[in-house]
Amino acid sequence: MKVSRRRALIIIATAVAGFLGYKYISSILYPERDERAEKETSVEEGATRREAEVGESKYSEVSVVRGVRDPRLLARKVVEQIGGIEKIVGNKDRVVIKPNVGFPSRDAVASPEVVAEIAKMVIEAGVSEVIVAESSVRGYVTSFCFEKTKYYDVLKPLGIEVIDLKEQGNIRTVKAKNTLKLGEVDVYEETYTADILISVAKMKRHVSADVTLGIKNLIGCFPDYEKGRFHREGLHKCIADIAYILKPDLVVIDGSKAMTKHGPSGGVMVEANTAVASTDPLAADYIAAKILFELEGEEDPAARAKKVKYFGYAEQLGVGTMDEDKIKVVTG
Amino acid sequence: MRQGIRRRDFLKTLVAAGIIGSLGGVAKLLPYRRVVRPPGALVEEKFLSQCTRCGQCIQTCVTGTLVPCSLGEGLLIWGTPRVDPLRAPCEAVAGRCEISRPCVENCPTNALVYVEPEKVKMGSVKWIKENCIAYRGGECLVCYEVCPIDGAITPRRGIPVFHSGKCIGCGRCVYACPPEPKALYLVPDGERRIETTR
């Protein structure tokens, strides 16, 4: 059979049209997911969440409570020991609590009871808006983690809004200066624009970051694609950067049950009945890391804690101090 | 004038009948890619005969991991569901779909059936070490962090070791793997498929 030129062209054109049509229909039915495009973004030039406070008191106070079994009491005591929440929230009206709820397992998250007690204290201090916001580890749905770890059960009766940032969060692009790695970074606006940001962390070990406490917990203030980027660009420097950009006003570390040896999940649980709190994020983390390594039977916990790489970078950026001469530990 | 059917016509008919009759069989010889199926899929042959390509599982999947196989992956599996961990992980284990699975519940022909979370095994993960941040000396064990199965990924001197026997193929590690291109991909190796519809 002889095929004329015209017929050959028609056949080719039909085939191409058919293929394109198929691609088009499948792109409508099953669109590629572009997380970045799903959210509206706004840009913030050259900023960190709050200005570095020059001329702050010469030492950082870190409150440590040990041997209290009730997590609510533990939380209350540890905050009261550094002068109470009123001193921190002042007359501000939007307080965001960022708990560590990375996984759907209670061992791996900050106890909802601790978060609830802190939220209660904030309300008692006269703050009108208290929000609990988190975005879990990649591959886990935050609302599912909240549900499994009883966050909704504990917090909703108190009338506290619990936000799944992956679903409900807005994104702000921050162009930070003087950082180690991150020039421009997308952050969940809810946490960035908070008048007061409280990081409520779980005391645990971490396989990539060594320890995950008040500073590392802040990684949940960033969307999933940024979390991946931190690993690509060098995790420890990025963790220091995010601490510098977000610098929380208060860090509370829940060590009612500490996760030792391994983490962020599946480590050896120790009933430490401990909590650490400070307005200096690095000092709180350093003291908590010391406790964690002490629980693991480390011979020199202080030296070991100093070896956590991002602590050094954070100190370099002025996030806080881990110089024991400048830290005043307050115990009950 | 010769009587009856001509020898040539007879042979032609025979050959034509043979070709038509063997089309089904020939279709089975067509190559297709082995893909990672949703949890509780029947053994491939039964799955392909029972799946009507209605797309219900894909439409109702809460995580968005299920996608239809493309024509390029094989004519026979065109339109059947597969797990795409680049879009999302499958949450049949340690996720929202432990107890009730929309893909299974909405399958009109029982090509997908419910299996207990501890029996789910859709495949396993493969490692391309050249792409791995940890292997190249960086600080990353995200795969280990997000893995819901004890002992499926273990860190050794800061580098992940993958145990395909324990891996269930949920794709969390693939989804979360930070480098571009990724150091992990999912294969159906070791998958546990269902023999009969219960």
PDB file of all heavy atoms in Angstrom, chain A residues 31 103 137-141 144 206 208 228 231-232 235-236 262 309, chain B residues 58 68 78 87 91 95-96 139 141-142 144-146 172 175-176 178:
ATOM      1  N   PRO A  31      -2.574  15.923  39.058  1.00  0.00           N
ATOM      2  CA  PRO A  31      -1.575  16.975  38.935  1.00  0.00           C
ATOM      3  C   PRO A  31      -0.343  16.677  39.776  1.00  0.00           C
ATOM      4  O   PRO A  31      -0.437  16.047  40.828  1.00  0.00           O
ATOM      5  CB  PRO A  31      -2.300  18.215  39.472  1.00  0.00           C
ATOM      6  CG  PRO A  31      -3.389  17.692  40.329  1.00  0.00           C
ATOM      7  CD  PRO A  31      -3.758  16.348  39.807  1.00  0.00           C
ATOM      8  N   PHE A 103       6.191  13.042  65.495  1.00  0.00           N
ATOM      9  CA  PHE A 103       5.795  11.662  65.178  1.00  0.00           C
ATOM     10  C   PHE A 103       4.475  11.283  65.851  1.00  0.00           C
ATOM     11  O   PHE A 103       4.095  11.903  66.840  1.00  0.00           O
ATOM     12  CB  PHE A 103       6.882  10.696  65.663  1.00  0.00           C
ATOM     13  CG  PHE A 103       8.176  10.843  64.926  1.00  0.00           C
ATOM     14  CD1 PHE A 103       9.142  11.724  65.372  1.00  0.00           C
ATOM     15  CD2 PHE A 103       8.421  10.113  63.773  1.00  0.00           C
ATOM     16  CE1 PHE A 103      10.340  11.874  64.688  1.00  0.00           C
ATOM     17  CE2 PHE A 103       9.613  10.264  63.085  1.00  0.00           C
ATOM     18  CZ  PHE A 103      10.570  11.141  63.538  1.00  0.00           C
ATOM     19  N   VAL A 137       7.335  15.757  61.074  1.00  0.00           N
ATOM     20  CA  VAL A 137       8.404  15.259  60.212  1.00  0.00           C
ATOM     21  C   VAL A 137       7.812  14.916  58.832  1.00  0.00           C
ATOM     22  O   VAL A 137       6.656  14.535  58.725  1.00  0.00           O
ATOM     23  CB  VAL A 137       9.008  14.007  60.881  1.00  0.00           C
ATOM     24  CG1 VAL A 137       9.890  13.225  59.940  1.00  0.00           C
ATOM     25  CG2 VAL A 137       9.771  14.406  62.129  1.00  0.00           C
ATOM     26  N   ARG A 138       8.621  15.055  57.790  1.00  0.00           N
ATOM     27  CA  ARG A 138       8.134  14.736  56.448  1.00  0.00           C
ATOM     28  C   ARG A 138       7.639  13.299  56.355  1.00  0.00           C
ATOM     29  O   ARG A 138       8.280  12.389  56.884  1.00  0.00           O
ATOM     30  CB  ARG A 138       9.235  14.960  55.410  1.00  0.00           C
ATOM     31  CG  ARG A 138       9.267  16.378  54.916  1.00  0.00           C
ATOM     32  CD  ARG A 138      10.564  16.672  54.268  1.00  0.00           C
ATOM     33  NE  ARG A 138      11.653  16.335  55.169  1.00  0.00           N
ATOM     34  CZ  ARG A 138      12.864  16.009  54.761  1.00  0.00           C
ATOM     35  NH1 ARG A 138      13.130  15.959  53.491  1.00  0.00           N
ATOM     36  NH2 ARG A 138      13.804  15.741  55.632  1.00  0.00           N
ATOM     37  N   GLY A 139       6.524  13.117  55.698  1.00  0.00           N
ATOM     38  CA  GLY A 139       5.964  11.773  55.584  1.00  0.00           C
ATOM     39  C   GLY A 139       4.915  11.484  56.656  1.00  0.00           C
ATOM     40  O   GLY A 139       4.280  10.444  56.621  1.00  0.00           O
ATOM     41  N   TYR A 140       4.775  12.394  57.608  1.00  0.00           N
ATOM     42  CA  TYR A 140       3.749  12.223  58.638  1.00  0.00           C
ATOM     43  C   TYR A 140       2.795  13.407  58.597  1.00  0.00           C
ATOM     44  O   TYR A 140       3.213  14.551  58.427  1.00  0.00           O
ATOM     45  CB  TYR A 140       4.379  12.095  60.026  1.00  0.00           C
ATOM     46  CG  TYR A 140       5.128  10.791  60.185  1.00  0.00           C
ATOM     47  CD1 TYR A 140       6.467  10.690  59.812  1.00  0.00           C
ATOM     48  CD2 TYR A 140       4.485   9.650  60.658  1.00  0.00           C
ATOM     49  CE1 TYR A 140       7.153   9.493  59.920  1.00  0.00           C
ATOM     50  CE2 TYR A 140       5.162   8.453  60.770  1.00  0.00           C
ATOM     51  CZ  TYR A 140       6.493   8.373  60.396  1.00  0.00           C
ATOM     52  OH  TYR A 140       7.160   7.184  60.494  1.00  0.00           O
ATOM     53  N   VAL A 141       1.498  13.086  58.766  1.00  0.00           N
ATOM     54  CA  VAL A 141       0.486  14.124  58.734  1.00  0.00           C
ATOM     55  C   VAL A 141       0.358  14.699  60.141  1.00  0.00           C
ATOM     56  O   VAL A 141       0.163  13.970  61.105  1.00  0.00           O
ATOM     57  CB  VAL A 141      -0.848  13.540  58.246  1.00  0.00           C
ATOM     58  CG1 VAL A 141      -1.964  14.549  58.365  1.00  0.00           C
ATOM     59  CG2 VAL A 141      -0.698  13.070  56.800  1.00  0.00           C
ATOM     60  N   PHE A 144      -2.700  14.018  62.249  1.00  0.00           N
ATOM     61  CA  PHE A 144      -2.688  12.622  62.702  1.00  0.00           C
ATOM     62  C   PHE A 144      -1.773  12.467  63.928  1.00  0.00           C
ATOM     63  O   PHE A 144      -2.130  11.776  64.883  1.00  0.00           O
ATOM     64  CB  PHE A 144      -2.216  11.720  61.556  1.00  0.00           C
ATOM     65  CG  PHE A 144      -2.110  10.263  61.917  1.00  0.00           C
ATOM     66  CD1 PHE A 144      -3.255   9.485  62.051  1.00  0.00           C
ATOM     67  CD2 PHE A 144      -0.875   9.671  62.127  1.00  0.00           C
ATOM     68  CE1 PHE A 144      -3.157   8.141  62.391  1.00  0.00           C
ATOM     69  CE2 PHE A 144      -0.770   8.333  62.462  1.00  0.00           C
ATOM     70  CZ  PHE A 144      -1.918   7.563  62.594  1.00  0.00           C
ATOM     71  N   HIS A 206      19.174  12.486  68.889  1.00  0.00           N
ATOM     72  CA  HIS A 206      18.821  12.570  67.474  1.00  0.00           C
ATOM     73  C   HIS A 206      19.987  12.045  66.643  1.00  0.00           C
ATOM     74  O   HIS A 206      21.130  12.447  66.839  1.00  0.00           O
ATOM     75  CB  HIS A 206      18.515  14.020  67.117  1.00  0.00           C
ATOM     76  CG  HIS A 206      17.828  14.176  65.798  1.00  0.00           C
ATOM     77  ND1 HIS A 206      18.510  14.108  64.618  1.00  0.00           N
ATOM     78  CD2 HIS A 206      16.530  14.374  65.483  1.00  0.00           C
ATOM     79  CE1 HIS A 206      17.647  14.279  63.628  1.00  0.00           C
ATOM     80  NE2 HIS A 206      16.435  14.438  64.117  1.00  0.00           N
ATOM     81  N   SER A 208      20.833  12.399  63.484  1.00  0.00           N
ATOM     82  CA  SER A 208      21.564  13.300  62.579  1.00  0.00           C
ATOM     83  C   SER A 208      22.083  14.529  63.301  1.00  0.00           C
ATOM     84  O   SER A 208      23.158  15.036  62.986  1.00  0.00           O
ATOM     85  CB  SER A 208      20.672  13.778  61.426  1.00  0.00           C
ATOM     86  OG  SER A 208      19.930  12.742  60.883  1.00  0.00           O
ATOM     87  N   GLY A 228      14.082  19.484  54.020  1.00  0.00           N
ATOM     88  CA  GLY A 228      14.975  18.691  53.185  1.00  0.00           C
ATOM     89  C   GLY A 228      16.215  19.483  52.796  1.00  0.00           C
ATOM     90  O   GLY A 228      17.327  18.971  52.791  1.00  0.00           O
ATOM     91  N   HIS A 231      19.147  19.613  55.244  1.00  0.00           N
ATOM     92  CA  HIS A 231      20.049  18.457  55.197  1.00  0.00           C
ATOM     93  C   HIS A 231      21.024  18.563  54.030  1.00  0.00           C
ATOM     94  O   HIS A 231      22.166  18.162  54.135  1.00  0.00           O
ATOM     95  CB  HIS A 231      19.245  17.159  55.102  1.00  0.00           C
ATOM     96  CG  HIS A 231      18.599  16.779  56.400  1.00  0.00           C
ATOM     97  ND1 HIS A 231      19.232  15.995  57.331  1.00  0.00           N
ATOM     98  CD2 HIS A 231      17.404  17.093  56.927  1.00  0.00           C
ATOM     99  CE1 HIS A 231      18.444  15.844  58.375  1.00  0.00           C
ATOM    100  NE2 HIS A 231      17.325  16.499  58.154  1.00  0.00           N
ATOM    101  N   ARG A 232      20.526  19.092  52.929  1.00  0.00           N
ATOM    102  CA  ARG A 232      21.401  19.212  51.760  1.00  0.00           C
ATOM    103  C   ARG A 232      22.498  20.247  51.999  1.00  0.00           C
ATOM    104  O   ARG A 232      23.627  20.079  51.579  1.00  0.00           O
ATOM    105  CB  ARG A 232      20.587  19.634  50.525  1.00  0.00           C
ATOM    106  CG  ARG A 232      19.695  18.553  49.972  1.00  0.00           C
ATOM    107  CD  ARG A 232      19.233  18.910  48.576  1.00  0.00           C
ATOM    108  NE  ARG A 232      18.395  20.085  48.530  1.00  0.00           N
ATOM    109  CZ  ARG A 232      17.081  20.088  48.716  1.00  0.00           C
ATOM    110  NH1 ARG A 232      16.457  18.960  48.984  1.00  0.00           N
ATOM    111  NH2 ARG A 232      16.382  21.196  48.634  1.00  0.00           N
ATOM    112  N   LEU A 235      23.318  20.304  57.916  1.00  0.00           N
ATOM    113  CA  LEU A 235      22.273  20.374  58.935  1.00  0.00           C
ATOM    114  C   LEU A 235      22.639  21.267  60.120  1.00  0.00           C
ATOM    115  O   LEU A 235      21.854  22.108  60.535  1.00  0.00           O
ATOM    116  CB  LEU A 235      21.941  18.950  59.415  1.00  0.00           C
ATOM    117  CG  LEU A 235      20.787  18.840  60.394  1.00  0.00           C
ATOM    118  CD1 LEU A 235      19.493  19.319  59.769  1.00  0.00           C
ATOM    119  CD2 LEU A 235      20.623  17.410  60.875  1.00  0.00           C
ATOM    120  N   HIS A 236      23.842  21.097  60.645  1.00  0.00           N
ATOM    121  CA  HIS A 236      24.176  21.804  61.879  1.00  0.00           C
ATOM    122  C   HIS A 236      24.197  23.323  61.704  1.00  0.00           C
ATOM    123  O   HIS A 236      23.682  24.059  62.539  1.00  0.00           O
ATOM    124  CB  HIS A 236      25.517  21.302  62.425  1.00  0.00           C
ATOM    125  CG  HIS A 236      25.409  19.927  63.013  1.00  0.00           C
ATOM    126  ND1 HIS A 236      25.038  19.711  64.311  1.00  0.00           N
ATOM    127  CD2 HIS A 236      25.569  18.702  62.458  1.00  0.00           C
ATOM    128  CE1 HIS A 236      24.997  18.409  64.551  1.00  0.00           C
ATOM    129  NE2 HIS A 236      25.323  17.776  63.441  1.00  0.00           N
ATOM    130  N   HIS A 262      19.252   6.789  71.274  1.00  0.00           N
ATOM    131  CA  HIS A 262      18.821   6.893  69.891  1.00  0.00           C
ATOM    132  C   HIS A 262      17.699   7.899  69.763  1.00  0.00           C
ATOM    133  O   HIS A 262      17.014   8.186  70.720  1.00  0.00           O
ATOM    134  CB  HIS A 262      18.298   5.534  69.423  1.00  0.00           C
ATOM    135  CG  HIS A 262      19.292   4.786  68.600  1.00  0.00           C
ATOM    136  ND1 HIS A 262      19.789   5.280  67.434  1.00  0.00           N
ATOM    137  CD2 HIS A 262      19.866   3.573  68.780  1.00  0.00           C
ATOM    138  CE1 HIS A 262      20.643   4.400  66.926  1.00  0.00           C
ATOM    139  NE2 HIS A 262      20.721   3.362  67.736  1.00  0.00           N
ATOM    140  N   LYS A 309      27.528  19.900  67.490  1.00  0.00           N
ATOM    141  CA  LYS A 309      28.077  20.879  66.543  1.00  0.00           C
ATOM    142  C   LYS A 309      27.257  22.146  66.432  1.00  0.00           C
ATOM    143  O   LYS A 309      27.803  23.240  66.377  1.00  0.00           O
ATOM    144  CB  LYS A 309      28.211  20.223  65.163  1.00  0.00           C
ATOM    145  CG  LYS A 309      29.518  19.476  64.987  1.00  0.00           C
ATOM    146  CD  LYS A 309      29.781  19.263  63.509  1.00  0.00           C
ATOM    147  CE  LYS A 309      30.033  17.798  63.217  1.00  0.00           C
ATOM    148  NZ  LYS A 309      29.820  17.443  61.826  1.00  0.00           N
TER     149      LYS A 309
ATOM    150  N   ILE B  58      -7.516   5.336  43.435  1.00  0.00           N
ATOM    151  CA  ILE B  58      -6.665   6.504  43.209  1.00  0.00           C
ATOM    152  C   ILE B  58      -7.398   7.781  43.626  1.00  0.00           C
ATOM    153  O   ILE B  58      -6.849   8.643  44.295  1.00  0.00           O
ATOM    154  CB  ILE B  58      -6.239   6.565  41.733  1.00  0.00           C
ATOM    155  CG1 ILE B  58      -5.433   5.312  41.377  1.00  0.00           C
ATOM    156  CG2 ILE B  58      -5.433   7.819  41.446  1.00  0.00           C
ATOM    157  CD1 ILE B  58      -5.307   5.037  39.894  1.00  0.00           C
ATOM    158  N   PRO B  68      -2.202   6.236  38.562  1.00  0.00           N
ATOM    159  CA  PRO B  68      -2.405   5.179  37.579  1.00  0.00           C
ATOM    160  C   PRO B  68      -1.108   4.919  36.815  1.00  0.00           C
ATOM    161  O   PRO B  68      -0.374   5.855  36.521  1.00  0.00           O
ATOM    162  CB  PRO B  68      -3.475   5.769  36.657  1.00  0.00           C
ATOM    163  CG  PRO B  68      -3.319   7.242  36.790  1.00  0.00           C
ATOM    164  CD  PRO B  68      -2.752   7.533  38.141  1.00  0.00           C
ATOM    165  N   TRP B  78      -1.759  -0.513  32.263  1.00  0.00           N
ATOM    166  CA  TRP B  78      -2.190   0.860  32.026  1.00  0.00           C
ATOM    167  C   TRP B  78      -3.433   1.178  32.846  1.00  0.00           C
ATOM    168  O   TRP B  78      -4.433   0.473  32.737  1.00  0.00           O
ATOM    169  CB  TRP B  78      -2.469   1.032  30.528  1.00  0.00           C
ATOM    170  CG  TRP B  78      -2.723   2.443  30.109  1.00  0.00           C
ATOM    171  CD1 TRP B  78      -2.392   3.569  30.780  1.00  0.00           C
ATOM    172  CD2 TRP B  78      -3.365   2.862  28.906  1.00  0.00           C
ATOM    173  NE1 TRP B  78      -2.765   4.674  30.079  1.00  0.00           N
ATOM    174  CE2 TRP B  78      -3.375   4.277  28.919  1.00  0.00           C
ATOM    175  CE3 TRP B  78      -3.923   2.204  27.807  1.00  0.00           C
ATOM    176  CZ2 TRP B  78      -3.929   5.032  27.895  1.00  0.00           C
ATOM    177  CZ3 TRP B  78      -4.471   2.950  26.782  1.00  0.00           C
ATOM    178  CH2 TRP B  78      -4.465   4.356  26.813  1.00  0.00           C
ATOM    179  N   ARG B  87       5.186  11.417  45.495  1.00  0.00           N
ATOM    180  CA  ARG B  87       4.024  12.277  45.772  1.00  0.00           C
ATOM    181  C   ARG B  87       3.687  12.290  47.253  1.00  0.00           C
ATOM    182  O   ARG B  87       3.418  13.331  47.831  1.00  0.00           O
ATOM    183  CB  ARG B  87       2.819  11.786  44.987  1.00  0.00           C
ATOM    184  CG  ARG B  87       2.996  11.904  43.478  1.00  0.00           C
ATOM    185  CD  ARG B  87       1.876  11.182  42.776  1.00  0.00           C
ATOM    186  NE  ARG B  87       0.583  11.716  43.130  1.00  0.00           N
ATOM    187  CZ  ARG B  87      -0.042  12.684  42.467  1.00  0.00           C
ATOM    188  NH1 ARG B  87       0.517  13.187  41.400  1.00  0.00           N
ATOM    189  NH2 ARG B  87      -1.194  13.144  42.854  1.00  0.00           N
ATOM    190  N   GLU B  91       0.124   5.338  53.872  1.00  0.00           N
ATOM    191  CA  GLU B  91      -0.066   5.406  55.319  1.00  0.00           C
ATOM    192  C   GLU B  91      -0.777   4.189  55.900  1.00  0.00           C
ATOM    193  O   GLU B  91      -1.460   4.285  56.914  1.00  0.00           O
ATOM    194  CB  GLU B  91      -0.799   6.687  55.687  1.00  0.00           C
ATOM    195  CG  GLU B  91       0.047   7.919  55.441  1.00  0.00           C
ATOM    196  CD  GLU B  91      -0.549   9.177  56.066  1.00  0.00           C
ATOM    197  OE1 GLU B  91      -1.026   9.107  57.197  1.00  0.00           O
ATOM    198  OE2 GLU B  91      -0.553  10.207  55.391  1.00  0.00           O
ATOM    199  N   GLY B  95       0.080   5.230  60.146  1.00  0.00           N
ATOM    200  CA  GLY B  95      -0.501   6.411  59.524  1.00  0.00           C
ATOM    201  C   GLY B  95      -2.011   6.374  59.608  1.00  0.00           C
ATOM    202  O   GLY B  95      -2.582   5.605  60.382  1.00  0.00           O
ATOM    203  N   ARG B  96      -2.633   7.200  58.782  1.00  0.00           N
ATOM    204  CA  ARG B  96      -4.086   7.344  58.875  1.00  0.00           C
ATOM    205  C   ARG B  96      -4.854   6.130  58.394  1.00  0.00           C
ATOM    206  O   ARG B  96      -6.035   5.990  58.655  1.00  0.00           O
ATOM    207  CB  ARG B  96      -4.521   8.571  58.062  1.00  0.00           C
ATOM    208  CG  ARG B  96      -4.154   9.883  58.718  1.00  0.00           C
ATOM    209  CD  ARG B  96      -4.422  11.033  57.791  1.00  0.00           C
ATOM    210  NE  ARG B  96      -3.484  11.050  56.659  1.00  0.00           N
ATOM    211  CZ  ARG B  96      -3.583  11.883  55.643  1.00  0.00           C
ATOM    212  NH1 ARG B  96      -4.565  12.747  55.586  1.00  0.00           N
ATOM    213  NH2 ARG B  96      -2.690  11.857  54.663  1.00  0.00           N
ATOM    214  N   GLU B 139      25.620  15.371  56.955  1.00  0.00           N
ATOM    215  CA  GLU B 139      24.868  14.996  58.151  1.00  0.00           C
ATOM    216  C   GLU B 139      23.430  14.729  57.757  1.00  0.00           C
ATOM    217  O   GLU B 139      22.639  15.648  57.623  1.00  0.00           O
ATOM    218  CB  GLU B 139      24.892  16.141  59.176  1.00  0.00           C
ATOM    219  CG  GLU B 139      26.267  16.479  59.688  1.00  0.00           C
ATOM    220  CD  GLU B 139      26.585  17.957  59.549  1.00  0.00           C
ATOM    221  OE1 GLU B 139      25.761  18.712  59.012  1.00  0.00           O
ATOM    222  OE2 GLU B 139      27.680  18.342  59.965  1.00  0.00           O
ATOM    223  N   LEU B 141      20.372  11.461  58.168  1.00  0.00           N
ATOM    224  CA  LEU B 141      19.868  10.100  58.332  1.00  0.00           C
ATOM    225  C   LEU B 141      18.347  10.186  58.358  1.00  0.00           C
ATOM    226  O   LEU B 141      17.677   9.526  59.134  1.00  0.00           O
ATOM    227  CB  LEU B 141      20.403   9.470  59.623  1.00  0.00           C
ATOM    228  CG  LEU B 141      21.781   8.803  59.500  1.00  0.00           C
ATOM    229  CD1 LEU B 141      22.348   8.529  60.879  1.00  0.00           C
ATOM    230  CD2 LEU B 141      21.727   7.494  58.712  1.00  0.00           C
ATOM    231  N   VAL B 142      17.858  11.067  57.504  1.00  0.00           N
ATOM    232  CA  VAL B 142      16.425  11.324  57.478  1.00  0.00           C
ATOM    233  C   VAL B 142      15.640  10.027  57.241  1.00  0.00           C
ATOM    234  O   VAL B 142      14.614   9.786  57.855  1.00  0.00           O
ATOM    235  CB  VAL B 142      16.089  12.374  56.393  1.00  0.00           C
ATOM    236  CG1 VAL B 142      14.605  12.425  56.135  1.00  0.00           C
ATOM    237  CG2 VAL B 142      16.582  13.737  56.829  1.00  0.00           C
ATOM    238  N   TYR B 144      16.302   7.063  58.159  1.00  0.00           N
ATOM    239  CA  TYR B 144      16.208   6.333  59.426  1.00  0.00           C
ATOM    240  C   TYR B 144      15.229   7.019  60.372  1.00  0.00           C
ATOM    241  O   TYR B 144      14.434   6.365  61.043  1.00  0.00           O
ATOM    242  CB  TYR B 144      17.598   6.239  60.052  1.00  0.00           C
ATOM    243  CG  TYR B 144      17.604   5.805  61.494  1.00  0.00           C
ATOM    244  CD1 TYR B 144      17.390   4.476  61.832  1.00  0.00           C
ATOM    245  CD2 TYR B 144      17.802   6.728  62.517  1.00  0.00           C
ATOM    246  CE1 TYR B 144      17.386   4.077  63.167  1.00  0.00           C
ATOM    247  CE2 TYR B 144      17.795   6.338  63.843  1.00  0.00           C
ATOM    248  CZ  TYR B 144      17.585   5.012  64.164  1.00  0.00           C
ATOM    249  OH  TYR B 144      17.565   4.634  65.476  1.00  0.00           O
ATOM    250  N   GLU B 145      15.266   8.349  60.371  1.00  0.00           N
ATOM    251  CA  GLU B 145      14.383   9.103  61.263  1.00  0.00           C
ATOM    252  C   GLU B 145      12.912   8.839  60.971  1.00  0.00           C
ATOM    253  O   GLU B 145      12.117   8.681  61.885  1.00  0.00           O
ATOM    254  CB  GLU B 145      14.620  10.612  61.106  1.00  0.00           C
ATOM    255  CG  GLU B 145      15.909  11.120  61.686  1.00  0.00           C
ATOM    256  CD  GLU B 145      16.125  12.581  61.330  1.00  0.00           C
ATOM    257  OE1 GLU B 145      15.135  13.342  61.239  1.00  0.00           O
ATOM    258  OE2 GLU B 145      17.282  12.973  61.120  1.00  0.00           O
ATOM    259  N   VAL B 146      12.572   8.812  59.703  1.00  0.00           N
ATOM    260  CA  VAL B 146      11.147   8.739  59.366  1.00  0.00           C
ATOM    261  C   VAL B 146      10.634   7.304  59.241  1.00  0.00           C
ATOM    262  O   VAL B 146       9.434   7.088  59.156  1.00  0.00           O
ATOM    263  CB  VAL B 146      10.814   9.496  58.052  1.00  0.00           C
ATOM    264  CG1 VAL B 146      11.222  10.955  58.164  1.00  0.00           C
ATOM    265  CG2 VAL B 146      11.490   8.851  56.857  1.00  0.00           C
ATOM    266  N   ARG B 172       8.095   6.212  52.965  1.00  0.00           N
ATOM    267  CA  ARG B 172       8.352   7.426  53.752  1.00  0.00           C
ATOM    268  C   ARG B 172       9.777   7.930  53.535  1.00  0.00           C
ATOM    269  O   ARG B 172      10.016   9.114  53.369  1.00  0.00           O
ATOM    270  CB  ARG B 172       8.111   7.156  55.239  1.00  0.00           C
ATOM    271  CG  ARG B 172       6.650   7.240  55.608  1.00  0.00           C
ATOM    272  CD  ARG B 172       6.474   7.427  57.105  1.00  0.00           C
ATOM    273  NE  ARG B 172       5.085   7.616  57.441  1.00  0.00           N
ATOM    274  CZ  ARG B 172       4.226   6.614  57.604  1.00  0.00           C
ATOM    275  NH1 ARG B 172       4.618   5.378  57.452  1.00  0.00           N
ATOM    276  NH2 ARG B 172       2.971   6.859  57.901  1.00  0.00           N
ATOM    277  N   TYR B 175      10.158   9.508  50.136  1.00  0.00           N
ATOM    278  CA  TYR B 175       9.493  10.803  50.119  1.00  0.00           C
ATOM    279  C   TYR B 175      10.350  11.859  50.809  1.00  0.00           C
ATOM    280  O   TYR B 175      10.487  12.981  50.327  1.00  0.00           O
ATOM    281  CB  TYR B 175       8.134  10.689  50.819  1.00  0.00           C
ATOM    282  CG  TYR B 175       7.394  11.988  50.946  1.00  0.00           C
ATOM    283  CD1 TYR B 175       6.733  12.540  49.852  1.00  0.00           C
ATOM    284  CD2 TYR B 175       7.348  12.676  52.158  1.00  0.00           C
ATOM    285  CE1 TYR B 175       6.061  13.745  49.959  1.00  0.00           C
ATOM    286  CE2 TYR B 175       6.681  13.876  52.276  1.00  0.00           C
ATOM    287  CZ  TYR B 175       6.036  14.406  51.178  1.00  0.00           C
ATOM    288  OH  TYR B 175       5.376  15.598  51.285  1.00  0.00           O
ATOM    289  N   ALA B 176      10.954  11.485  51.946  1.00  0.00           N
ATOM    290  CA  ALA B 176      11.666  12.471  52.756  1.00  0.00           C
ATOM    291  C   ALA B 176      13.125  12.633  52.353  1.00  0.00           C
ATOM    292  O   ALA B 176      13.770  13.592  52.757  1.00  0.00           O
ATOM    293  CB  ALA B 176      11.582  12.095  54.233  1.00  0.00           C
ATOM    294  N   PRO B 178      16.346  13.882  51.245  1.00  0.00           N
ATOM    295  CA  PRO B 178      16.565  15.274  50.824  1.00  0.00           C
ATOM    296  C   PRO B 178      17.312  15.513  49.515  1.00  0.00           C
ATOM    297  O   PRO B 178      17.017  16.492  48.839  1.00  0.00           O
ATOM    298  CB  PRO B 178      17.342  15.892  51.989  1.00  0.00           C
ATOM    299  CG  PRO B 178      17.233  14.924  53.108  1.00  0.00           C
ATOM    300  CD  PRO B 178      17.066  13.580  52.481  1.00  0.00           C
TER     301      PRO B 178
END
